[in-house]
Amino acid sequence: MIPESFPPACAIAFKEWAGVCDALAQGRQSLILRKGGIAEDAGVFRPEHSSFWLYPTHLHEVQQGLRDDGPPTSARAVPPGMLELPALVQVECLVWVDDVDRLDAVSELHVWTAETVLKRFAYRKPGLWVLGVRVFRAEPPPRIVVTPEQTGCKSWVPLGDPVGTDTLIPTLDDRTLDHRLERIRALAGADRGAF
């Protein structure tokens, strides 16, 4: 069920590897790991949006970066210059993890390889943001025209016109998601907070 407080439309998207977007949209993943983007303020990621569309990208994606053997999303023919938005995400919790060993506790909740996670963790300053997310699959996925403002190595991209959220379906039941979110919040440890 879609929460009553859910926005009727959303005009911001979050770039992520296409394979990760598939896992999120299929309910096989309930978290996003983020360090920062080159085009962001001082290269630091800021989770400035609590709801956003997933914007699949192959930029920097390499096959060995994912350990996913799940079923791929059925490939539909998308006209050149357009992109499908597979799902809308709502951030439920956010945890900064500065001890790489803590990330082992949620390794089965994502599709990145251990090597990819370690590289992201160690890049520049050690640590990663872990976003526990509620995901709503779009059926059918809305299509947008790709614009110059959306290109480049950045996390957040404007969509221009807001995209309606009236065709969304939750990827997980509340009980399963709540269990996963508890595990993600526990990454903060007793001495740290998480929202």
Side-chain angles (χ1 to χ4, degrees), residues 10 12 17-18 27 31 55 62 91 94-95 97 109 117 122 128 133 135:
C10 180
I12 194 76
W17 289 355
L31 62 85
Y55 189 108
V62 289
V91 178
L94 175 68
V95 180
V97 178
L109 298 183
V117 172
L128 279 174
V133 296
V135 184

Side-chain angles (χ1 to χ4, degrees), residues 15 39 55 145-154 156-160:
K15 281 189 176 182
Y55 189 108
V145 175
V146 177
T147 66
E149 293 81 21
Q150 297 166 358
T151 60
C153 191
K154 52 190 165 189
W156 304 107
V157 293
L159 297 180

Side-chain angles (χ1 to χ4, degrees), residues 30-35 45 47 91-98 102-103 106 109-110 112 117 121 127-133 183-185 187-188 194-195:
S30 296
L31 62 85
I32 295 173
L33 299 178
R34 207 57 171 195
K35 187 70 159 209
F45 173 71
V91 178
E92 296 289 328
C93 63
L94 175 68
V95 180
W96 172 254
V97 178
D98 57 8
R102 288 184 188 252
L103 293 172
V106 293
L109 298 183
H110 64 77
W112 291 285
V117 172
F121 181 90
L128 279 174
W129 287 107
V130 180
L131 289 76
V133 296
R183 293 178 61 193
I184 294 165
R185 286 185 180 103
L187 291 174
F195 94 78

